[in-house]
Amino acid sequence: MSSPVSLNLNYIAPFVADHEWDQLRPAVSEAHRRLHTGNGAGADFLGWMDLPDKGDHEELERIEKTAAGICEHADVFIVIGIGGSSLGAKAVISGLSHSFHSFLQPKKKNGPDILFLGEHFGSDYTAELLEALAGKNVYVNVISKSGTTTEPAIAFRIVKTWMEKTYGKGEAKKRIIATTDREKGALKTMANAEGYETFVVPDDVGGRYSVLTPVGLLPIAVGGISIRDLLAGAREASYEYTEERLSHNQAYQYAAFRYLMYQKGKQIELLSTYEPKLTDFSGWWKQLYGESEGKDGKGLFPASVAFTSDLHSMGQYVQEGRRHLFETVLYIGKSRNKIQIPRSDGDEDGLDFLAGEHLDAINKKAYQGTMLAHTDGSVPNLILEMEQLNAFSMGALIYFFEKACALSGYLLGVNPFDQPGVESYKQNMYALLGKPGHAKRRIELEERLNEWE
C-alpha cells in the first residue's frame, strides 16, 4: 500500500528547469545519507524516524486503556502544554473530530470535550475556561519534558489548585496524567510525589516531532480517534520515504523544491488549505518548519492561509503583491459528508445553475481556479493531494512533513532539531519577572525599556 499523500508537480514547470533538479541530486543524496546514518547535526533526536514501526506496543495499549477510562468518566479533558506538547494533538483532533463536538448531545459524542491550556498567559481565556468547568467531570493531561516551561507550568499550577479544591487532593490525583521525562525534571518529581499516572516523552524525539509519541497519542485517543490507524499511515509513509533517489521520493521532492525556491529569492512559503478542519494543522506545520529552519540568518518564513475565506482578505496580495512567496497547496479530494446545493423557486441569487452540485465539487473548482490564477500571477504552486481526511492519511501527512523537514534543514545547512533562539525571550521574561539569579539582567532590561517609553 502506498502513502495516501500525493505530490503534484504539474504546475511548477515554469519555475524550475530540469537541470536544476539534476544539479540538486548529489546534495539530496548527501543529506539522506547524513539523516539515515545519524552523522548529521542533531543526530540525538532521530527517534521519530522509526517511531511508527518500532513503537512501544505495551505503552500503546496502556494509552488506549487510559483513554478509554477517561472517555467513560470525563465531560472535559484539559490538555496543558505549549508548542510541540499541544500543537500536534490539536491538529489531529480538530482535523478528524466533529467541528461542533461541544454542541452535540451526550449520546452522540465519542469522548469528552477537549480543551487546551498553557499556550499563553491570557487571563480572560483562563478564567473563562475555569468558569466553564463548573459542574463538569474533568480530567487533565499536563505535558512537559521539564515541567518548568513557564506557560504550561503556571497553567498547571492554576488547574491543579482548582482540581484539588473541587475534588479534594486524593481524587484530583486520580484525574491528572503527566506526560514527561522518564527519570528527571520538576514535573516527573511532582508526578512521583503525588502518584499521578505518567507517560514518557522520549529522549530522542524533539517536541515538534513528538505528535506520534504519548505526547500526542493520549489526547488523540481521548478524542475518539484511532491511534493505531494514525500510526499505520505514518508507518506506510516511513517505508515510502526511505528511498534515497530524488526521482522516487516525494517528500524529498518537496524539500528540494522549497530549497530551489529559497535559492531563487523566495522568502515565504504559504501553506494553503481548502478545508477549515485543517486550520490547526497549519499551526503544527508552522512550528515544525519555523523552529527547524529559522536559524543562522536562514530559512523560509512559514505562513498559512485558509481558502476560500482568505481569498477575500489575502487573495489580492497573493495575486499581485511582492513576488517573494510560493504556495504549497494542501487539498483534500473528498469530504466525509455530502452537501448538495438546493434549487430556489425564484433563483434570486442567480445560482440555480449550481443546483444539484455538491459543495466538494464547487470547492474543487475554487481550488483549481485559484491555483491557475496564482500561477499566472507568477506564484509557484506545489500541490499536496489527499483523497480523503482520516486517521491513516493524517498519519502519513505528518510523517511526510517531518521527513521533508529534516532533509530540508540539512540542505539549508542548519541543525533541524534544535531551537536555540527560543531561549532568548524566555531569559528576558524570567529576568523581568524577577526570577532568582537574574537580578543584573533585570536591571539592564528595565533600563532599555525605560529608554523606549
Side-chain angles (χ1 to χ4, degrees), residues 383-410:
I383 316 297
L384 270 174
E385 298 172 337
M386 300 168 64
E387 183 177 355
Q388 58 186 342
L389 191 62
N390 54 35
F392 184 86
S393 63
M394 182 72 87
L397 185 65
I398 287 169
Y399 197 89
F400 174 94
F401 278 124
E402 288 180 342
K403 189 66 180 290
C405 185
L407 188 99
S408 185
Y410 283 161

mmCIF file of all heavy atoms in Angstrom, residues 383-410:
data_model
loop_
_atom_site.group_PDB
_atom_site.id
_atom_site.type_symbol
_atom_site.label_atom_id
_atom_site.label_comp_id
_atom_site.label_asym_id
_atom_site.label_seq_id
_atom_site.Cartn_x
_atom_site.Cartn_y
_atom_site.Cartn_z
ATOM 1 N N ILE A 383 1.390 21.215 -5.213
ATOM 2 C CA ILE A 383 0.133 20.657 -4.730
ATOM 3 C C ILE A 383 0.372 19.352 -3.981
ATOM 4 O O ILE A 383 1.019 18.438 -4.493
ATOM 5 C CB ILE A 383 -0.842 20.377 -5.902
ATOM 6 C CG1 ILE A 383 -0.869 21.552 -6.899
ATOM 7 C CG2 ILE A 383 -2.231 20.077 -5.356
ATOM 8 C CD1 ILE A 383 -1.374 22.837 -6.347
ATOM 9 N N LEU A 384 -0.145 19.280 -2.756
ATOM 10 C CA LEU A 384 -0.183 18.037 -1.992
ATOM 11 C C LEU A 384 -1.632 17.582 -1.940
ATOM 12 O O LEU A 384 -2.485 18.266 -1.365
ATOM 13 C CB LEU A 384 0.335 18.257 -0.570
ATOM 14 C CG LEU A 384 1.826 18.070 -0.315
ATOM 15 C CD1 LEU A 384 2.162 18.483 1.111
ATOM 16 C CD2 LEU A 384 2.239 16.632 -0.550
ATOM 17 N N GLU A 385 -1.900 16.445 -2.566
ATOM 18 C CA GLU A 385 -3.271 15.973 -2.676
ATOM 19 C C GLU A 385 -3.498 14.751 -1.790
ATOM 20 O O GLU A 385 -2.650 13.866 -1.698
ATOM 21 C CB GLU A 385 -3.579 15.610 -4.132
ATOM 22 C CG GLU A 385 -3.462 16.800 -5.088
ATOM 23 C CD GLU A 385 -3.571 16.408 -6.546
ATOM 24 O OE1 GLU A 385 -3.298 15.225 -6.867
ATOM 25 O OE2 GLU A 385 -3.926 17.262 -7.374
ATOM 26 N N MET A 386 -4.660 14.725 -1.136
ATOM 27 C CA MET A 386 -5.080 13.567 -0.340
ATOM 28 C C MET A 386 -6.510 13.240 -0.742
ATOM 29 O O MET A 386 -7.357 14.134 -0.849
ATOM 30 C CB MET A 386 -5.018 13.892 1.154
ATOM 31 C CG MET A 386 -3.631 14.275 1.652
ATOM 32 S SD MET A 386 -3.684 14.976 3.306
ATOM 33 C CE MET A 386 -4.264 13.574 4.242
ATOM 34 N N GLU A 387 -6.772 11.970 -0.979
ATOM 35 C CA GLU A 387 -8.118 11.596 -1.424
ATOM 36 C C GLU A 387 -9.151 11.912 -0.365
ATOM 37 O O GLU A 387 -10.238 12.406 -0.653
ATOM 38 C CB GLU A 387 -8.160 10.113 -1.776
ATOM 39 C CG GLU A 387 -9.510 9.672 -2.314
ATOM 40 C CD GLU A 387 -9.548 8.214 -2.729
ATOM 41 O OE1 GLU A 387 -8.485 7.563 -2.694
ATOM 42 O OE2 GLU A 387 -10.631 7.722 -3.086
ATOM 43 N N GLN A 388 -8.835 11.623 0.888
ATOM 44 C CA GLN A 388 -9.750 11.921 1.973
ATOM 45 C C GLN A 388 -8.973 12.113 3.268
ATOM 46 O O GLN A 388 -7.811 11.721 3.375
ATOM 47 C CB GLN A 388 -10.787 10.801 2.138
ATOM 48 C CG GLN A 388 -10.186 9.436 2.403
ATOM 49 C CD GLN A 388 -11.229 8.339 2.427
ATOM 50 O OE1 GLN A 388 -12.424 8.604 2.577
ATOM 51 N NE2 GLN A 388 -10.798 7.101 2.310
ATOM 52 N N LEU A 389 -9.636 12.742 4.232
ATOM 53 C CA LEU A 389 -9.000 13.034 5.510
ATOM 54 C C LEU A 389 -9.480 12.032 6.544
ATOM 55 O O LEU A 389 -10.653 12.008 6.918
ATOM 56 C CB LEU A 389 -9.353 14.462 5.943
ATOM 57 C CG LEU A 389 -8.590 15.051 7.125
ATOM 58 C CD1 LEU A 389 -7.101 15.136 6.822
ATOM 59 C CD2 LEU A 389 -9.129 16.439 7.464
ATOM 60 N N ASN A 390 -8.576 11.153 6.979
ATOM 61 C CA ASN A 390 -8.885 10.201 8.032
ATOM 62 C C ASN A 390 -7.615 9.961 8.841
ATOM 63 O O ASN A 390 -6.570 10.569 8.576
ATOM 64 C CB ASN A 390 -9.445 8.895 7.459
ATOM 65 C CG ASN A 390 -8.543 8.277 6.403
ATOM 66 O OD1 ASN A 390 -7.318 8.361 6.490
ATOM 67 N ND2 ASN A 390 -9.140 7.653 5.391
ATOM 68 N N ALA A 391 -7.683 9.093 9.836
ATOM 69 C CA ALA A 391 -6.523 8.894 10.712
ATOM 70 C C ALA A 391 -5.332 8.348 9.943
ATOM 71 O O ALA A 391 -4.184 8.758 10.179
ATOM 72 C CB ALA A 391 -6.894 7.952 11.865
ATOM 73 N N PHE A 392 -5.562 7.444 9.006
ATOM 74 C CA PHE A 392 -4.468 6.857 8.233
ATOM 75 C C PHE A 392 -3.778 7.925 7.379
ATOM 76 O O PHE A 392 -2.537 8.040 7.392
ATOM 77 C CB PHE A 392 -5.012 5.732 7.351
ATOM 78 C CG PHE A 392 -3.956 4.987 6.583
ATOM 79 C CD1 PHE A 392 -3.286 3.911 7.161
ATOM 80 C CD2 PHE A 392 -3.624 5.363 5.293
ATOM 81 C CE1 PHE A 392 -2.306 3.223 6.460
ATOM 82 C CE2 PHE A 392 -2.647 4.678 4.582
ATOM 83 C CZ PHE A 392 -1.989 3.613 5.163
ATOM 84 N N SER A 393 -4.558 8.714 6.653
ATOM 85 C CA SER A 393 -3.954 9.734 5.789
ATOM 86 C C SER A 393 -3.308 10.846 6.599
ATOM 87 O O SER A 393 -2.279 11.394 6.206
ATOM 88 C CB SER A 393 -5.004 10.311 4.834
ATOM 89 O OG SER A 393 -6.037 10.979 5.538
ATOM 90 N N MET A 394 -3.878 11.163 7.763
ATOM 91 C CA MET A 394 -3.278 12.184 8.614
ATOM 92 C C MET A 394 -1.922 11.726 9.139
ATOM 93 O O MET A 394 -0.962 12.503 9.197
ATOM 94 C CB MET A 394 -4.217 12.514 9.775
ATOM 95 C CG MET A 394 -3.719 13.612 10.703
ATOM 96 S SD MET A 394 -3.794 15.260 9.970
ATOM 97 C CE MET A 394 -5.465 15.729 10.394
ATOM 98 N N GLY A 395 -1.832 10.457 9.518
ATOM 99 C CA GLY A 395 -0.546 9.923 9.960
ATOM 100 C C GLY A 395 0.498 10.001 8.866
ATOM 101 O O GLY A 395 1.660 10.343 9.112
ATOM 102 N N ALA A 396 0.095 9.670 7.632
ATOM 103 C CA ALA A 396 1.017 9.742 6.501
ATOM 104 C C ALA A 396 1.443 11.179 6.227
ATOM 105 O O ALA A 396 2.615 11.454 5.938
ATOM 106 C CB ALA A 396 0.362 9.143 5.259
ATOM 107 N N LEU A 397 0.511 12.111 6.347
ATOM 108 C CA LEU A 397 0.817 13.521 6.096
ATOM 109 C C LEU A 397 1.802 14.059 7.129
ATOM 110 O O LEU A 397 2.739 14.794 6.797
ATOM 111 C CB LEU A 397 -0.476 14.343 6.112
ATOM 112 C CG LEU A 397 -0.348 15.817 5.750
ATOM 113 C CD1 LEU A 397 0.101 15.980 4.303
ATOM 114 C CD2 LEU A 397 -1.681 16.540 5.979
ATOM 115 N N ILE A 398 1.596 13.686 8.391
ATOM 116 C CA ILE A 398 2.517 14.107 9.448
ATOM 117 C C ILE A 398 3.928 13.619 9.142
ATOM 118 O O ILE A 398 4.898 14.382 9.209
ATOM 119 C CB ILE A 398 2.032 13.576 10.811
ATOM 120 C CG1 ILE A 398 0.791 14.354 11.272
ATOM 121 C CG2 ILE A 398 3.143 13.666 11.858
ATOM 122 C CD1 ILE A 398 0.094 13.729 12.467
ATOM 123 N N TYR A 399 4.053 12.346 8.793
ATOM 124 C CA TYR A 399 5.385 11.799 8.533
ATOM 125 C C TYR A 399 5.995 12.413 7.276
ATOM 126 O O TYR A 399 7.204 12.659 7.223
ATOM 127 C CB TYR A 399 5.340 10.275 8.410
ATOM 128 C CG TYR A 399 6.710 9.658 8.558
ATOM 129 C CD1 TYR A 399 7.185 9.293 9.817
ATOM 130 C CD2 TYR A 399 7.551 9.485 7.464
ATOM 131 C CE1 TYR A 399 8.457 8.756 9.980
ATOM 132 C CE2 TYR A 399 8.822 8.947 7.612
ATOM 133 C CZ TYR A 399 9.270 8.590 8.865
ATOM 134 O OH TYR A 399 10.533 8.075 9.019
ATOM 135 N N PHE A 400 5.180 12.670 6.267
ATOM 136 C CA PHE A 400 5.668 13.324 5.053
ATOM 137 C C PHE A 400 6.363 14.631 5.403
ATOM 138 O O PHE A 400 7.499 14.897 4.971
ATOM 139 C CB PHE A 400 4.497 13.587 4.098
ATOM 140 C CG PHE A 400 4.858 14.392 2.878
ATOM 141 C CD1 PHE A 400 5.209 13.761 1.700
ATOM 142 C CD2 PHE A 400 4.843 15.783 2.911
ATOM 143 C CE1 PHE A 400 5.550 14.504 0.568
ATOM 144 C CE2 PHE A 400 5.181 16.534 1.791
ATOM 145 C CZ PHE A 400 5.532 15.895 0.611
ATOM 146 N N PHE A 401 5.701 15.467 6.179
ATOM 147 C CA PHE A 401 6.266 16.775 6.510
ATOM 148 C C PHE A 401 7.475 16.641 7.439
ATOM 149 O O PHE A 401 8.437 17.409 7.323
ATOM 150 C CB PHE A 401 5.201 17.673 7.128
ATOM 151 C CG PHE A 401 4.308 18.344 6.120
ATOM 152 C CD1 PHE A 401 2.927 18.197 6.188
ATOM 153 C CD2 PHE A 401 4.831 19.118 5.109
ATOM 154 C CE1 PHE A 401 2.097 18.821 5.266
ATOM 155 C CE2 PHE A 401 4.009 19.748 4.184
ATOM 156 C CZ PHE A 401 2.634 19.594 4.259
ATOM 157 N N GLU A 402 7.435 15.699 8.370
ATOM 158 C CA GLU A 402 8.581 15.521 9.266
ATOM 159 C C GLU A 402 9.825 15.102 8.482
ATOM 160 O O GLU A 402 10.914 15.647 8.688
ATOM 161 C CB GLU A 402 8.248 14.484 10.334
ATOM 162 C CG GLU A 402 7.257 14.958 11.382
ATOM 163 C CD GLU A 402 6.946 13.918 12.434
ATOM 164 O OE1 GLU A 402 7.207 12.716 12.197
ATOM 165 O OE2 GLU A 402 6.414 14.292 13.504
ATOM 166 N N LYS A 403 9.673 14.124 7.603
ATOM 167 C CA LYS A 403 10.824 13.636 6.843
ATOM 168 C C LYS A 403 11.350 14.725 5.914
ATOM 169 O O LYS A 403 12.566 14.942 5.803
ATOM 170 C CB LYS A 403 10.425 12.392 6.027
ATOM 171 C CG LYS A 403 11.602 11.661 5.365
ATOM 172 C CD LYS A 403 12.525 11.047 6.401
ATOM 173 C CE LYS A 403 13.715 10.306 5.812
ATOM 174 N NZ LYS A 403 13.333 9.054 5.123
ATOM 175 N N ALA A 404 10.446 15.422 5.253
ATOM 176 C CA ALA A 404 10.855 16.505 4.356
ATOM 177 C C ALA A 404 11.545 17.626 5.119
ATOM 178 O O ALA A 404 12.524 18.212 4.642
ATOM 179 C CB ALA A 404 9.640 17.048 3.609
ATOM 180 N N CYS A 405 11.069 17.911 6.328
ATOM 181 C CA CYS A 405 11.649 18.986 7.121
ATOM 182 C C CYS A 405 13.079 18.654 7.542
ATOM 183 O O CYS A 405 13.969 19.512 7.491
ATOM 184 C CB CYS A 405 10.785 19.238 8.359
ATOM 185 S SG CYS A 405 11.320 20.636 9.364
ATOM 186 N N ALA A 406 13.308 17.411 7.948
ATOM 187 C CA ALA A 406 14.652 17.008 8.347
ATOM 188 C C ALA A 406 15.624 17.137 7.181
ATOM 189 O O ALA A 406 16.719 17.698 7.321
ATOM 190 C CB ALA A 406 14.629 15.569 8.860
ATOM 191 N N LEU A 407 15.224 16.645 6.013
ATOM 192 C CA LEU A 407 16.092 16.739 4.842
ATOM 193 C C LEU A 407 16.284 18.193 4.430
ATOM 194 O O LEU A 407 17.388 18.619 4.073
ATOM 195 C CB LEU A 407 15.513 15.940 3.676
ATOM 196 C CG LEU A 407 16.488 15.842 2.496
ATOM 197 C CD1 LEU A 407 17.206 14.503 2.522
ATOM 198 C CD2 LEU A 407 15.788 16.043 1.168
ATOM 199 N N SER A 408 15.222 18.967 4.510
ATOM 200 C CA SER A 408 15.282 20.375 4.118
ATOM 201 C C SER A 408 16.275 21.150 4.979
ATOM 202 O O SER A 408 17.017 21.998 4.488
ATOM 203 C CB SER A 408 13.883 20.994 4.232
ATOM 204 O OG SER A 408 13.869 22.312 3.765
ATOM 205 N N GLY A 409 16.293 20.847 6.282
ATOM 206 C CA GLY A 409 17.242 21.519 7.161
ATOM 207 C C GLY A 409 18.679 21.219 6.785
ATOM 208 O O GLY A 409 19.532 22.118 6.788
ATOM 209 N N TYR A 410 18.959 19.971 6.434
ATOM 210 C CA TYR A 410 20.318 19.618 6.027
ATOM 211 C C TYR A 410 20.693 20.270 4.702
ATOM 212 O O TYR A 410 21.841 20.677 4.511
ATOM 213 C CB TYR A 410 20.451 18.097 5.934
ATOM 214 C CG TYR A 410 20.574 17.414 7.278
ATOM 215 C CD1 TYR A 410 20.311 16.056 7.413
ATOM 216 C CD2 TYR A 410 20.945 18.113 8.425
ATOM 217 C CE1 TYR A 410 20.430 15.408 8.632
ATOM 218 C CE2 TYR A 410 21.058 17.481 9.642
ATOM 219 C CZ TYR A 410 20.805 16.132 9.751
ATOM 220 O OH TYR A 410 20.922 15.506 10.975
#
